[in-house]
């Protein structure tokens, strides 16, 4: 597991935005810009989708990324692949070491299955995305576009016999992942409000978004 | 084998098909020559925005592979289908599908003009052809199932394609728990290391089967699946849309 700190100074960032747990963040990151998600208090999961700003039908593809890099974990050097086989972003700094792209996002519907039918009305990541696509129609996204996402800061190992486990997070307060955009991308983050599993220590917390122009 | 076979057909390698399965029907796939791979996607014909969700399927059953006893979930917390029989033991749901460029790089160009029906079709184009018949397209593609293929994962997360996972006459049977649009192809798995384009056909049996009982193996295999079946029941009552 490789980690690498960034040389970029937060003081030089052109954008700094705190996203509270249970909120979404959507914006365009331009080709050549560097984009950081900072885990402010530790053990937070940032459920993230990327779309080509030119054509949102081209989007982050978990399966293409997993297959093309030959690994289920995302980390330093991972190229995040689109559904058209293009590199969308590359992870250029990472103080965590491993991120998940298997586990998907919490949804009120899947919470009924995973935990209890009565969890149906608890706030979940998919609800944040639904609000995002409803409130921000200028990005041209709908439920059709909400697909298999990245969970930055989450740790989901696969066992030898084909099991899936949700292990302790490797993140901690102040850890971050940083990536350089290789095309203009729409970034859609649900800062996970999950209260039912330890992915954010039963205590959803804020993350900070930073963007550098060069 | 329970239930009565309504229709049986051989689907050659490198082909595609789609159809709608009603609740309490089953699709049995049999690997004719060994080494088959069947890419598959699922949608709700009454609401095409509801589709197979690989992460929900895997995480709610704490599994990376699909096998007998597993249920395949939609993104709306419902069960499209259950794996009721399986002689293979491991089916892949994370490697996606072959593309035109992958097939060309590994096995040569896709050329109907020269090759006719022996052209080297790829999984993504096959999916798009079938999806377009229902007004669906690239935006509706999701992580698909690859029946018969095994992708193992090391401690470091590295993938390994396991050859010989499925043998001649190996089978998997899926029982549909709600009406489901099935999109499938028999194009090669994108990680298949075969030297030549693997023409691997399957036999498909469409069956009528009894509904899952209260003691059904898939329903009881995990408490999560018990709740998934309740969600389907709510859906069929009209309370779950």
């Amino acid at each position: 597991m490789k980690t690498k700190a960034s040389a970029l100074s937060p003081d030089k960032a052109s954008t700094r935005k705190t996203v509270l747990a249970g909120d979404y963040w959507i914006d365009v990151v331009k080709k050549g810009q560097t984009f950081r998600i900072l885990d402010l208090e530790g053990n937070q999961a940032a459920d993230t989708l990327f779309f080509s700003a030119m054509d949102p039908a081209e989007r982050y593809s978990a399966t293409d990324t997993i297959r093309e890099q030959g690994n289920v974990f995302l980390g330093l050097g991972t190229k995040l692949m689109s559904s058209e086989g293009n590199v969308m972003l590359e992870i250029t700094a990472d103080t965590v070491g491993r991120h998940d792209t298997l586990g998907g996002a919490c949804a009120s519907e899947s919470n009924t299955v995973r935990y209890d039918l009565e969890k149906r009305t608890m706030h979940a990541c998919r609800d944040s995305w639904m609000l995002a696509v409803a409130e921000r129609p200028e990005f041209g996204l709908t439920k059709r576009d909400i697909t298999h996402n990245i969970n930055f800061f989450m740790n989901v190992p696969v066992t030898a016999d084909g099991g899936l486990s949700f292990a302790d997070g490797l993140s901690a307060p102040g850890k971050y992942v940083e990536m350089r955009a290789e095309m203009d991308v729409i970034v859609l983050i649900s800062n996970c409000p999950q209260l039912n599993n330890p992915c954010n220590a039963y205590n959803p917390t804020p993350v900070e978004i930073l963007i550098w122009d060069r | 084998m329970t239930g009565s076979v309504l229709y049986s057909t051989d689907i050659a390698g490198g082909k595609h098909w789609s159809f709608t399965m009603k609740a309490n029907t089953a699709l049995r796939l049999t690997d004719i020559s060994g080494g088959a791979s069947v890419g598959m996607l699922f949608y709700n014909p009454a609401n095409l925005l509801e589709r197979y969700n690989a992460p929900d399927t895997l995480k709610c059953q704490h599994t990376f592979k699909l096998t007998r006893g597993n249920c395949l979930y939609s993104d709306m917390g419902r069960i499209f289908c259950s794996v009721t029989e399986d002689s293979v033991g491991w089916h892949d749901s994370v490697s996606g599908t072959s593309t035109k460029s992958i097939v060309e790089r590994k096995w040569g160009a896709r050329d109907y003009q020269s090759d006719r029906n022996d052209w080297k079709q790829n999984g993504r184009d096959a999916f798009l052809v079938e999806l377009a018949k229902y007004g669906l397209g690239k935006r509706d593609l999701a992580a698909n199932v690859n029946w018969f293929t095994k992708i193992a994962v090391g401690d470091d997360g590295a993938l390994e394609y396991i050859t010989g996972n499925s043998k001649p006459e190996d089978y998997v049977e899926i029982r549909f728990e709600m009406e489901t649009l099935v999109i499938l192809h028999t194009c090669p798995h994108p990680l298949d290391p075969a030297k030549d384009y693997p023409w691997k056909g399957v036999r498909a049996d469409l069956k009528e089967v009894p509904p899952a009982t209260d003691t059904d193996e898939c329903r009881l295999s995990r408490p999560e699946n018990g709740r998934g079946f309740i969600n389907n029941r709510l859906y069929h009552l009209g309370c779950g849309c």
Side-chain angles (χ1 to χ4, degrees):
Chain A
M1 225 164 15
K2 287 177 293 187
T3 58
K4 180 186 170 190
S6 170
L8 295 169
S9 163
D11 300 340
K12 302 268 174 60
S14 59
T15 295
R16 289 188 70 168
K17 168 75 179 167
T18 299
V19 183
L20 299 178
D23 284 353
Y24 71 83
W25 183 82
I26 186 168
D27 210 340
V28 172
V29 174
K30 296 278 196 183
K31 180 178 179 177
Q33 287 185 322
T34 295
F35 164 69
R36 177 189 293 183
I37 309 175
L38 171 62
D39 189 359
L40 287 168
E41 298 183 28
N43 269 317
Q44 181 59 11
D47 294 42
T48 305
L49 294 161
F50 297 104
F51 304 86
S52 162
M54 291 289 289
D55 174 15
E58 178 174 6
R59 72 276 308 270
Y60 170 73
S61 168
T63 54
D64 289 281
T65 300
I66 289 169
R67 188 184 66 244
E68 291 307 308
Q69 69 157 350
N71 199 292
V72 295
F73 301 131
L74 309 182
L76 185 65
T78 299
K79 294 178 170 66
L80 304 178
M81 305 298 294
S82 80
S83 52
E84 302 286 337
N86 298 313
V87 178
M88 303 190 84
L89 306 102
E90 179 172 343
I91 297 178
T92 49
D94 180 16
T95 59
V96 180
R98 177 187 286 182
H99 306 269
D100 165 61
T101 193
L102 290 174
C106 61
S108 49
E109 292 80 11
S110 67
N111 283 346
T112 67
V113 174
R114 295 191 72 198
Y115 308 110
D116 190 287
L117 295 171
E118 301 310 317
K119 305 279 189 191
R120 187 182 306 278
T121 52
M122 286 179 68
H123 184 47
C125 278
R126 183 171 286 255
D127 286 359
S128 294
W129 284 332
M130 293 301 117
L131 186 63
V133 300
E135 285 190 334
R136 305 296 298 275
E138 64 270 29
F139 290 100
L141 303 175
T142 73
K143 179 178 181 288
R144 281 177 88 182
D145 304 294
I146 300 305
T147 58
H148 194 151
N149 61 288
I150 300 171
N151 293 307
F152 286 113
F153 309 123
M154 264 189 78
N155 183 23
V156 182
V158 177
T159 65
D161 63 352
L164 202 62
S165 49
F166 293 82
D168 277 347
L170 303 166
S171 189
K175 292 203 175 191
Y176 58 85
V177 59
E178 198 168 282
M179 56 213 96
R180 184 185 60 243
E182 300 295 337
M183 62 170 74
D184 293 356
V185 290
I186 302 165
V187 182
L188 175 52
I189 295 176
S190 166
N191 191 26
C192 185
Q194 181 58 261
L195 286 169
N196 296 291
N197 86 24
C199 70
N200 36 20
Y202 306 100
N203 177 32
T205 51
V207 296
E208 186 177 355
I209 305 301
L210 299 93
I211 300 171
W212 290 264
D213 288 334
R214 282 289 164 185
Chain B
M1 180 159 48
T2 57
S4 54
V5 177
L6 295 173
Y7 178 61
S8 184
T9 186
D10 285 0
I11 311 171
K15 305 294 186 276
H16 49 79
W17 193 22
S18 62
F19 43 82
T20 301
M21 298 292 285
K22 307 283 188 193
N24 306 319
T25 63
L27 173 64
R28 185 185 183 91
L29 296 171
T30 303
D31 185 347
I32 294 171
S33 60
S37 181
V38 177
M40 197 172 284
L41 291 167
F42 307 89
Y43 300 82
N44 177 354
N47 173 12
L48 292 166
L49 289 173
E50 179 174 2
R51 66 269 317 253
Y52 173 62
N53 189 291
D56 283 357
T57 298
L58 300 181
K59 75 182 168 191
C60 85
Q61 299 174 93
H62 291 255
T63 189
F64 179 71
K65 65 183 177 190
L66 296 175
T67 187
R68 179 175 159 177
N70 285 146
C71 297
L72 275 62
Y73 281 84
S74 81
D75 63 347
M76 297 295 281
R78 292 189 272 265
I79 298 171
F80 279 133
C81 56
S82 307
V83 183
T84 51
E85 293 189 49
D86 180 25
S87 73
V88 182
W90 187 308
H91 306 267
D92 163 46
S93 195
V94 303
S95 307
T97 201
S98 56
T99 62
K100 189 176 172 184
S101 65
I102 289 171
V103 167
E104 181 163 348
R105 189 170 71 237
K106 295 178 93 156
W107 300 301
R110 172 184 183 271
D111 184 351
Y112 189 81
Q113 180 68 54
S114 307
D115 299 335
R116 297 293 196 256
N117 273 329
D118 292 333
W119 65 336
K120 297 179 179 108
Q121 180 61 291
N122 65 81
R124 181 179 163 87
D125 286 358
F127 277 149
L128 289 174
V129 168
E130 293 301 331
L131 286 170
K133 296 173 184 176
Y134 305 89
L136 302 175
K138 290 179 183 178
R139 294 168 67 193
D140 305 290
L141 285 168
N144 58 284
V145 176
N146 289 310
W147 297 113
F148 299 110
T149 42
K150 176 175 181 177
I151 305 297
V153 175
D155 288 343
D156 59 355
L159 304 186
E160 184 187 1
Y161 179 93
I162 306 296
T163 52
N165 184 53
S166 174
K167 314 227 167 4
E169 294 303 312
D170 266 340
Y171 55 85
V172 60
E173 184 166 316
I174 49 178
R175 180 187 61 210
F176 287 82
E177 315 296 354
M178 59 188 276
E179 193 172 7
T180 303
L181 170 61
V182 177
I183 310 279
L184 71 84
H185 68 69
T186 50
C187 297
H189 188 281
L191 292 171
D192 192 326
K195 192 163 157 289
D196 298 316
Y197 184 97
W199 299 102
K200 299 294 183 181
V202 294
R203 190 164 64 251
D205 297 312
L206 303 177
K207 303 168 63 179
E208 269 182 318
V209 292
T213 63
D214 289 345
T215 57
D216 180 75
E217 181 184 4
C218 298
R219 188 196 295 267
L220 297 180
S221 61
R222 289 197 65 94
E224 287 88 345
N225 292 345
R227 293 190 285 272
F229 270 93
I230 294 174
N231 280 345
N232 277 50
R233 183 159 164 70
L234 284 168
Y235 177 67
H236 287 123
L237 284 170
C239 313
C241 280

